[in-house]
């Protein structure tokens, strides 16, 4: 079945450093969504990318969707302690469902 | 806007009993609701897709007779864990997609189930 691989599993950075997480799908995705889950919380929607090669920015966060619509990345510039959490990518499946990656847990050392 | 609630937020039950979890979209109508389970430090695993007025579609490996899903209205879906066992202990999260056609899913706060 459809799978979404996400790396790295963990990332520890010093505050102010950049951070990137990558997702790769075995099949073409209708869209890719990114969620952030704080410890003890539920996933919160960040953004959705639909078009091939699309790039979107939210302040220090940059999201990219690959040309083949099989991969995506989330880049955070100059991380802050408030960025701590687990970032999940989720690929849009053929039935409107989401296939989640395993997530990248980001910790930021002040 | 787009708030999804879940009830209860946590529940402890004895092995062999059944537990019902409710998922409600409070300020929008949801044709489709999804049920996930999440083990500690792991990703969300889709259990089933629930469409209003029809039978749920279960993912491979999920027992439909054990995890009963009902989606009787555009704002309510329920998940009943029947004859619960300790291995069913997990965090169950629902999400809802608005009928407007947006791909976006809005997640409930989750229900922590502990089976003793």
């Amino acid at each position: 079945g459809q799978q979404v691989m996400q790396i790295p599993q963990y990332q520890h950075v010093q505050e102010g450093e950049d951070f990137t997480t990558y997702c790769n799908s075995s099949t073409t995705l209708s869209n890719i969504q990114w969620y952030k889950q704080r410890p003890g919380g539920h996933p919160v929607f960040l953004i959705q990318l639909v078009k091939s090669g699309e790039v979107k920015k939210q302040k220090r966060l940059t999201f990219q969707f690959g040309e083949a619509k099989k991969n995506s990345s989330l880049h955070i510039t100059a991380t802050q302690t408030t960025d701590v959490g687990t970032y999940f990518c989720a690929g849009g499946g053929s039935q409107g469902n989401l296939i989640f990656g395993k997530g990248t847990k980001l910790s930021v050392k002040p | 806007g787009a708030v999804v609630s879940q009830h209860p937020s946590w529940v402890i039950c004895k092995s062999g009993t059944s537990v019902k979890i409710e998922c409600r979209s409070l300020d929008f109508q949801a044709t489709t609701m999804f049920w996930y389970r999440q083990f500690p430090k792991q990703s969300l695993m889709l259990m089933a897709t629930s469409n209003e007025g029809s039978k749920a579609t279960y993912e491979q490996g999920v027992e439909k007779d054990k995890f009963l899903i009902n989606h009787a209205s555009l704002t309510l879906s329920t998940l009943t864990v029947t004859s619960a066992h300790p291995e069913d202990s997990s965090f169950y999260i629902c999400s809802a997609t608005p009928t407007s056609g947006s791909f976006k899913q809005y997640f409930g706060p989750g229900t922590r189930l502990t089976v003793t």
Side-chain angles (χ1 to χ4, degrees):
Chain A
Q2 291 181 291
Q3 288 186 344
V4 173
M5 308 300 291
Q6 187 173 358
I7 58 169
Q9 190 174 0
Y10 301 97
Q11 187 76 60
H12 309 285
V13 300
Q14 192 77 35
E15 188 172 24
E17 292 182 339
D18 293 355
F19 159 77
T20 306
T21 173
Y22 301 90
C23 278
N24 220 347
S25 168
S26 55
T27 57
T28 302
L29 301 168
S30 59
N31 69 95
I32 190 109
Q33 301 181 28
W34 286 90
Y35 291 80
K36 178 182 179 181
Q37 185 175 22
R38 291 181 181 274
H42 59 90
V44 174
F45 176 84
L46 293 177
I47 208 161
Q48 174 187 283
L49 303 172
V50 180
K51 299 177 184 177
S52 168
E54 190 169 11
V55 177
K56 286 189 177 180
K57 290 190 175 184
Q58 287 180 351
K59 297 183 179 178
R60 295 179 293 104
L61 277 62
T62 302
F63 304 84
Q64 291 187 322
F65 199 12
E67 293 290 340
K69 300 181 74 171
K70 287 186 174 182
N71 56 72
S72 180
S73 65
L74 158 60
H75 180 82
I76 302 178
T77 304
T79 54
Q80 300 174 359
T81 54
T82 52
D83 296 326
V84 164
T86 301
Y87 292 85
F88 292 98
C89 64
S94 55
Q95 298 178 19
N97 57 320
L98 286 176
I99 304 137
F100 278 82
K102 291 189 181 297
T104 297
K105 185 176 181 179
L106 172 65
S107 61
V108 179
K109 188 176 181 181
Chain B
V3 177
V4 175
S5 71
Q6 272 185 250
H7 177 80
S9 56
W10 58 271
V11 58
I12 301 173
C13 71
K14 291 187 177 180
S15 189
T17 60
S18 296
V19 174
K20 180 186 282 189
I21 303 170
E22 292 186 348
C23 176
R24 292 181 187 272
S25 56
L26 299 184
D27 49 4
F28 66 98
Q29 292 185 327
T31 307
T32 305
M33 288 185 171
F34 302 89
W35 287 95
Y36 299 84
R37 64 187 299 180
Q38 186 178 32
F39 291 105
K41 300 181 181 180
Q42 293 192 24
S43 186
L44 290 85
M45 298 298 296
L46 179 65
M47 298 175 66
T49 302
S50 167
N51 289 296
E52 185 265 340
S54 63
K55 290 184 179 180
T57 302
Y58 290 81
E59 294 298 300
Q60 194 172 8
V62 178
E63 299 175 56
K64 61 180 180 181
D65 294 330
K66 180 170 182 62
F67 299 99
L68 302 178
I69 291 173
N70 182 276
H71 193 161
S73 77
L74 287 173
T75 59
L76 173 65
S77 177
T78 60
L79 167 67
T80 301
V81 182
T82 62
S83 187
H85 288 97
E87 56 265 32
D88 298 324
S89 298
S90 187
F91 194 51
Y92 292 87
I93 306 178
C94 72
S95 69
T97 302
T99 54
S100 61
S102 166
F103 286 119
K104 191 186 300 185
Q105 290 190 19
Y106 297 93
F107 284 82
T111 297
R112 173 76 60 193
L113 170 64
T114 302
V115 184
T116 60

